[in-house]
Amino acid sequence: MVTVNQQRVPRKRTYLMCSPEHFAVEYAINPWMDVTAPVDAALAVKQWDRLRETLVGLGHEVHLLTPEAGLPDMVFAANGAFVVDGTVYGAQFKHEQRAAEAAAHRAFYESQDWRFIAPSETNEGEGDFAYLPEAHGGLILAGHGFRTELPAHAEAQEALGRPVVSLRLVDPRFYHLDVALASIDDENVVYYPGAFSAASQRVLTQLFPDAVHADDSDALAFGLNLVSDGLNVVLNSEASRLAGKLKAAGYHPVPVELAELKKGGGSVKCCIAELRH
């Protein structure tokens, strides 16, 4: 486990978010989605606004993607691309219900003159990719097993020029990497071991001996679907035990309530793409 042997320092981040004004659960493409459960769209927007205000209040910059009718999952902005050092590796969604989101993200990045690389392989952006700029010289962790296909990991490595470590997800409840693992600073992670194959667990242990481990209750509360600036960790308020572990490791937990968006199978990180210049 992590010991508090250094001063945690926050680093200003730039994020992309998309309002859930069209959010609904109209189909089921992960175990969390129940089309019979009602969604309070107004409450979803209110909770999302609080999340955005929290990030701005911590000193971060938030860009907004315009939501489009007919794309109820567009609020989960993390899935639309993966950005490292000014290069954007675009998404190609597995499910046709979300396919059109990729074009909306591409249009945003191209309007901002980012270097955009279109994918040939199925991948869901930061849903299945995490970047740690100070870990082993700059490392990408990549999930596969449910959404992103393994060949996309090699494609991302070529596009972004960073080594990619493939991690196999084995529990359908943790269908994206970002509901099973998160970076908590530029060189360390927090994760739920049970979401990964035995071999991937060994890889994570070797790469991150000081990682914080979450238990199943925190993982199922979407506690790992978090965003950290190196000090402040914005996470689902239900994951109180994980918040305690992070505090003990020298971080500052910032709990937020996102119960409505959880009905779509996402929480804090799903709503936030990081724009790394």
Side-chain angles (χ1 to χ4, degrees):
M1 295 299 295
V2 174
T3 54
V4 184
N5 57 5
Q6 64 185 88
Q7 183 69 35
R8 308 289 178 197
V9 179
R11 178 166 58 79
K12 182 182 176 180
R13 311 294 176 115
T14 304
Y15 296 125
L16 178 67
M17 297 180 67
C18 181
S19 170
E21 60 185 72
H22 301 299
F23 176 66
V25 179
E26 298 174 350
Y27 46 78
I29 58 173
N30 68 59
W32 303 96
M33 301 177 85
D34 179 358
V35 295
T36 67
V39 171
D40 186 333
L43 180 57
V45 171
K46 186 177 180 179
Q47 291 177 344
W48 177 89
D49 270 331
R50 184 69 53 83
L51 173 60
R52 180 184 57 80
E53 290 165 2
T54 297
L55 296 172
V56 172
L58 290 171
H60 305 302
E61 182 179 354
V62 177
H63 293 263
L64 297 178
L65 188 65
T66 304
E68 298 182 14
L71 296 176
D73 278 342
M74 206 167 156
V75 62
F76 299 128
N79 303 152
F82 177 51
V83 186
V84 175
D85 294 340
T87 297
V88 184
Y89 175 54
Q92 182 171 294
F93 287 86
K94 177 174 182 177
H95 296 288
E96 62 180 350
Q97 293 96 329
R98 299 195 64 186
E101 294 177 41
H105 282 264
R106 179 173 185 166
F108 167 81
Y109 288 109
E110 291 184 337
S111 75
Q112 303 288 315
D113 293 326
W114 289 77
R115 179 173 178 250
F116 186 91
I117 296 178
S120 304
E121 306 292 346
T122 298
N123 82 89
E124 300 200 347
E126 272 198 325
D128 274 321
F129 290 107
Y131 182 54
L132 291 104
E134 300 298 329
H136 307 281
L139 196 64
I140 294 170
L141 302 180
H144 68 103
F146 298 102
R147 297 290 185 85
T148 295
E149 299 289 341
L150 195 54
H153 295 186
E155 188 174 62
Q157 180 167 284
E158 285 300 306
L160 300 169
R162 294 287 182 276
V164 174
V165 175
S166 296
L167 301 169
R168 183 167 186 83
L169 299 164
V170 296
D171 186 330
R173 297 172 300 178
F174 307 106
Y175 59 94
H176 271 156
L177 182 70
D178 72 2
V179 292
L181 175 149
S183 63
I184 42 178
D185 56 39
D186 287 344
E187 57 186 356
N188 203 11
V189 297
V190 55
Y191 67 98
Y192 171 55
F196 298 93
S197 69
S200 292
Q201 289 181 43
R202 291 196 295 272
V203 169
L204 285 167
T205 298
Q206 179 180 332
L207 290 174
F208 303 102
D210 294 326
V212 176
H213 292 172
D215 62 25
D216 56 352
S217 63
D218 285 321
L220 292 170
F222 282 79
L224 290 163
N225 195 240
L226 60 80
V227 165
S228 174
D229 61 15
L231 169 65
N232 303 291
V233 182
V234 182
L235 78 167
N236 195 297
S237 57
E238 293 179 44
S240 55
R241 189 179 308 178
L242 181 58
K245 287 184 178 181
L246 292 166
K247 188 171 184 178
Y251 298 91
H252 177 235
V254 183
V256 292
E257 171 62 58
L258 282 178
E260 286 307 297
L261 293 174
K262 188 180 173 187
K263 295 175 181 177
S267 187
V268 175
K269 179 67 188 98
C270 286
C271 294
I272 302 165
E274 184 168 351
L275 308 183
R276 302 176 186 87
H277 291 278

